Amino acid sequence: MSTAKKEYKRVTVKSLVDMKKRGEKISMLTSYDYSMAKIVDGANVDAILVGDSASNVMAGHETTLPITLDQMIYHATSVVRAAKRALVVVDIPFGSYQGDSKEALRSAIRIMKESGAHAVKVEGGEEIKISIGRILEAGIPVMGHLGLTPQSIYKFGTYTVRAKEEEEAEKLKADAKLLEQLGCFAIVLEKIPATLAKEVAESVSIPVIGIGAGNHVDGQVLVVHDMLGMTHEFHPRFLRRYLNLYDEMSNAISQYVEDVKSQDFPSEEESY
Ligand code: KIV
């Protein structure tokens, strides 16, 4: 058997832009830890998002607001160790980039230096253009995020579909153009009408990756725990569940408890 290490061709921000050019759809999933990222990367997902949804999924918070920069760096470091092929993009958390562009740059540099990730993601358009510009000037690739931006949940008041009204749709389109002009390499569009997402994807040369934004964008992203059915209290229309791991895992764990109580586990063969 060969002992040679398997060679992986790393997906880069340029690869994603090239994929859009040739019409190849981009697959992206979240991961927050080494074991999950190893499976996701091994399944040839193009980009892994270390999303601040870790605040909900890993820490049980109601919103993404409480997660800290240190916690994001911890998650990102574990994911980077596992990802041999995928591009790793890390959310800059709430409160670490919005108000002060120098702080935005410091946060982005900490993520890149301490975790070894390949790019950062920020939520918003016009309001944060100075922060985005400063991060880009330092040579750090930035992914934008428009539409439903969970870090602004208390401004929206609800997680319903965004940009259904003309005024908000116009702002979103202008923000997408601005992100492209600033030099972002891609944009996530979350929970907006499919027709609007299509219009945006056709109006910019950088990839548009949707979550609840229909099929006429350049790629899709989902929270991996949701698509695997590990979370079961969340049922948005855009979510396709590929497994029902919540039930599978619960059944396995209940069986383990029963086996321990009945002394069926461990057997002779499982003992030394
Ligand atoms: O934090 C996250 O998981 C995200 C995705 C929902 C796009 O931003």
Side-chain angles (χ1 to χ4, degrees), residues 115-136:
S115 76
H118 312 121
V120 297
K121 175 163 86 59
V122 288
E123 296 183 4
E126 175 72 30
E127 321 69 39
I128 56 159
K129 68 176 181 201
I130 300 174
S131 291
I132 294 177
R134 212 179 254 270
I135 298 170
L136 286 164

Side-chain angles (χ1 to χ4, degrees), residues 177-242:
K177 291 297 280 179
L178 175 67
L179 294 179
E180 179 190 33
Q181 279 157 18
L182 286 171
C184 290
F185 73 92
I187 304 171
V188 166
L189 289 183
E190 180 164 352
K191 227 172 169 187
I192 64 165
T195 47
L196 174 61
K198 178 174 189 282
E199 209 183 313
V200 172
E202 286 170 356
S203 75
V204 293
S205 58
I206 55 174
V208 169
I209 301 180
I211 171 162
N215 205 2
H216 300 288
V217 286
D218 307 303
Q220 301 291 330
V221 55
L222 285 176
V223 169
V224 72
H225 290 69
D226 294 338
M227 58 83 76
L228 293 177
M230 285 172 86
T231 49
H232 71 152
E233 49 299 272
F234 183 58
H235 303 281
R237 189 206 296 202
F238 67 74
L239 175 61
R240 184 178 292 181
R241 283 197 203 286
Y242 287 82

Side-chain angles (χ1 to χ4, degrees), residues 12-195:
T12 62
V13 295
K14 182 174 179 305
S15 329
L16 298 191
V17 177
D18 290 345
M19 284 167 82
K20 171 166 180 142
K21 279 194 196 135
R22 59 175 187 268
E24 180 183 342
K25 299 289 180 187
I26 297 162
S27 59
M28 177 156 155
L29 281 177
T30 61
S31 293
Y32 319 108
D33 68 275
Y34 178 83
S35 305
M36 184 67 86
K38 209 165 167 56
I39 298 171
V40 169
D41 187 66
N44 285 339
V45 165
D46 298 308
I48 297 181
L49 174 64
V50 184
D52 58 0
S53 50
S55 179
N56 313 103
V57 179
M58 303 306 282
H61 292 297
E62 207 174 302
T63 72
T64 59
L65 277 65
I67 199 158
T68 65
L69 185 59
D70 283 338
Q71 288 165 342
M72 287 303 297
I73 290 170
Y74 168 77
H75 288 298
T77 307
S78 310
V79 168
V80 167
R81 268 184 223 119
K84 301 287 177 249
R85 176 183 173 273
L87 179 84
V88 179
V89 185
V90 182
D91 265 330
I92 309 188
F94 175 70
S96 313
Y97 66 94
Q98 288 94 342
D100 172 351
S101 64
K102 285 191 185 153
E103 187 184 9
L105 178 58
R106 271 195 301 275
S107 303
I109 288 178
R110 277 201 62 201
I111 289 174
M112 302 296 283
K113 249 187 197 295
E114 295 176 37
S115 76
H118 312 121
V120 297
K121 175 163 86 59
V122 288
E123 296 183 4
E126 175 72 30
E127 321 69 39
I128 56 159
K129 68 176 181 201
I130 300 174
S131 291
I132 294 177
R134 212 179 254 270
I135 298 170
L136 286 164
E137 272 168 24
I140 299 172
V142 178
M143 176 179 268
H145 183 157
L146 301 171
L148 177 64
T149 45
Q151 292 180 9
S152 306
I153 190 59
Y154 291 118
K155 183 173 93 183
F156 300 145
T158 115
Y159 284 98
T160 52
V161 180
R162 303 303 315 173
K164 278 164 73 176
E165 305 301 331
E166 172 136 16
E167 196 182 334
E168 195 179 334
E170 288 305 318
K171 175 170 173 5
L172 188 143
K173 285 192 266 183
D175 278 343
K177 291 297 280 179
L178 175 67
L179 294 179
E180 179 190 33
Q181 279 157 18
L182 286 171
C184 290
F185 73 92
I187 304 171
V188 166
L189 289 183
E190 180 164 352
K191 227 172 169 187
I192 64 165
T195 47

